[in-house]
Amino acid sequence: MRAIVIYESMFGNTRRVAEAVARGLARTAEVRLARADEVESGDLASVDLVVVGAPTHAWGLPRTNTRGQALVTASRGDNDLVLEPAAESSPGVREWLGALGRLGVSGAAFDTRLRAPRFLTGRASTSISRSLRHDGAQLISPPASFFVDRQNHLYAGEDERARAWGERLGAEVARRKGAQVSRASLLRARARPRTRLDPLERGLVFLELFVSMCGIGGGIYLVSSPRSAMPLAYLEGTGFDTWRWPGVALLLFVGVGPVLAVVATWQRRRIEDAAHFLVGLGLVVWIIVEALWVVVSAPLQITFATIGVVIAALALTRSRAPRGRTPVVGTVREAHVDVSPGSVAPRDVSPLDASPVGGNGEVRP
Ligand SMILES: Cc1cc2nc3c(=O)[nH]c(=O)nc-3n(C[C@H](O)[C@H](O)[C@H](O)COP(=O)(O)O)c2cc1C
């Protein structure tokens, strides 16, 4: 598994958190740590997880003017803040997210901010999460915050909390990937091995499809013109006064029956041979009954009776032949596993939480 942790930082706190998250992720993933200005869009092509973090400035993501204010703060001399070497580099996380293309990866966001209720401080990670989700990333954690004091120093223990959060992110991605793999294996295991039809089967399927087409065509013709399809005189003494019900019977019995046998063959059902035999026998019986009631066309009826006999005979022959179907190499279809965004987990909802206390990535003061 591959992960990338992307960050922006003015005074080094967000960088420290990013480094700790990367250390946590490194237990399960190959991790790259990079500033936003160092990452190109192609760098995300082969990663499974992208984690993005930034300091909270003016209730959200840093902008050019808030970065300028940070520079002023650091240069005031009444503090020990040291600017990061690339503090003014562009793009920052806001600009980087703005230029991001479509993502097909898991994502998570964090920020650094003052330790106070969220509605007072705002938090950059919410904007990052929204942007990642908008670009198609599948969020695997709620936004997480790590806290600095009023002198802009990371609180003790935040490094460790960030490392643990990173570790959980890695485990979550691995779990989801594992679940996908085992689902794929399950689907593959369930797939019936496709085998080539043997010559007898091909003959049977051909005859059955021919009979079926005739049955369906003839049935529809009789049902749609029940009084004129054929002379009604043929029906004398049969109990029918139109061709409607004989048409329905033809449609179902001669039209649909053989299709079921073809489906059984295609699906490799155990009843395949029995189904062929029944189709053949049924066709012979059908013609005999029909001929006893009404001789519509002797050559036609003899032809179909003969086809019925051939089908039954082929089915019997096949059922007694030794089995040795040829597996077709390469036609067992790979199970498709949907990895599209949003397909595995509900948006933004995850048991992953950066906080040992709360459910929103916040350590309560
Ligand atoms: C211009 C500016 C605006 C800030 N606005 C906020 C804010 O709205 N909410 C907050 O919690 N912290 C705010 N902070 C504090 C930053 O969140 C804090 O400096 C940052 O987390 C430190 O991260 P860094 O060391 O990576 O730059 C602000 C800091 C600066 C310099």
Side-chain angles (χ1 to χ4, degrees):
M1 186 183 77
R2 286 167 180 238
I4 185 165
V5 181
I6 298 163
Y7 69 95
E8 162 181 359
S9 181
M10 298 301 297
F11 309 134
N13 297 287
T14 315
R15 175 182 48 75
R16 275 179 62 192
V17 171
E19 287 167 354
V21 171
R23 277 199 304 279
L25 276 168
R27 287 183 69 100
T28 46
E30 189 184 313
V31 192
R32 180 181 164 204
L33 179 68
R35 286 195 317 264
D37 62 294
E38 296 173 325
V39 185
E40 316 234 326
S41 53
D43 294 349
L44 302 188
S46 59
V47 301
D48 302 292
L49 171 68
V50 56
V51 184
V52 184
T56 300
H57 280 187
W59 289 277
L61 276 167
R63 299 170 183 272
T64 310
N65 65 330
T66 63
R67 289 181 198 121
Q69 289 167 25
L71 290 182
V72 171
T73 305
S75 61
R76 264 202 320 253
D78 58 349
N79 56 63
D80 59 352
L81 294 174
V82 180
L83 275 178
E84 286 289 284
E88 291 176 273
S89 299
S90 188
V93 163
R94 175 188 288 274
E95 296 78 10
W96 181 79
L97 286 168
L100 205 55
R102 216 51 208 148
L103 292 171
V105 295
S106 296
F110 68 92
D111 61 40
T112 51
R113 63 180 172 96
L114 298 174
R115 192 159 72 177
R118 209 163 63 211
F119 70 91
L120 290 178
T121 64
R123 58 174 180 172
S125 54
T126 309
S127 310
I128 300 171
S129 282
R130 196 180 307 124
S131 184
L132 286 175
R133 190 171 60 215
H134 177 265
D135 286 331
Q138 184 192 326
L139 296 178
I140 61 164
S141 166
S145 288
F146 300 91
F147 300 103
V148 297
D149 60 22
R150 301 216 169 259
Q151 284 70 50
N152 284 300
H153 295 305
L154 208 55
Y155 276 105
E158 292 299 80
D159 274 318
E160 176 50 28
R161 201 162 63 83
R163 192 205 56 74
W165 184 66
E167 197 173 320
R168 288 201 298 279
L169 290 179
E172 177 64 10
V173 175
R175 186 188 69 76
R176 290 175 187 223
K177 282 187 74 134
Q180 287 168 356
V181 168
S182 42
R183 188 165 161 248
S185 323
L186 193 69
L187 289 173
R188 259 199 301 276
R190 276 188 193 157
R192 281 165 197 281
R194 179 76 49 84
T195 51
R196 217 170 251 152
L197 298 186
D198 62 40
L200 280 180
E201 281 177 313
R202 269 179 263 159
L204 284 161
V205 165
F206 173 79
L207 288 174
E208 283 164 347
L209 288 180
F210 173 74
V211 170
S212 170
M213 271 168 42
C214 296
I216 290 173
I220 290 174
Y221 177 59
L222 292 181
V223 170
S224 59
S225 316
R227 297 189 165 275
S228 56
M230 286 200 292
L232 291 175
Y234 285 175
L235 292 171
E236 257 173 46
T238 63
F240 298 109
D241 50 4
T242 72
W243 289 101
R244 173 166 291 118
W245 289 111
V248 170
L250 183 69
L251 188 67
L252 294 179
F253 199 69
V254 182
V256 177
V259 172
L260 299 179
V262 171
V263 170
T265 307
W266 185 251
Q267 294 187 344
R268 295 286 176 223
R269 301 277 174 192
R270 277 166 202 265
I271 56 159
E272 176 191 340
D273 290 336
H276 291 309
F277 183 73
L278 281 177
V279 166
L281 187 68
L283 190 58
V284 173
V285 171
W286 170 270
I287 296 293
I288 290 173
V289 171
E290 187 187 79
L292 287 176
W293 276 4
V294 49
V295 177
V296 176
S297 158
L300 199 68
Q301 287 168 318
I302 290 169
T303 303
F304 274 91
T306 307
I307 291 175
V309 170
V310 171
I311 289 175
L314 288 179
L316 274 181
T317 309
R318 200 176 169 280
S319 68
R320 288 176 186 170
R323 289 295 132 101
R325 288 170 179 154
T326 324
V328 180
V329 177
T331 58
V332 179
R333 210 180 280 167
E334 282 290 309
H336 174 72
V337 182
D338 186 3
V339 291
S340 63
S343 66
V344 179
R347 292 162 155 206
D348 232 353
V349 177
S350 158
L352 282 171
D353 180 0
S355 164
V357 184
N360 57 5
E362 218 177 303
V363 171
R364 290 178 192 135

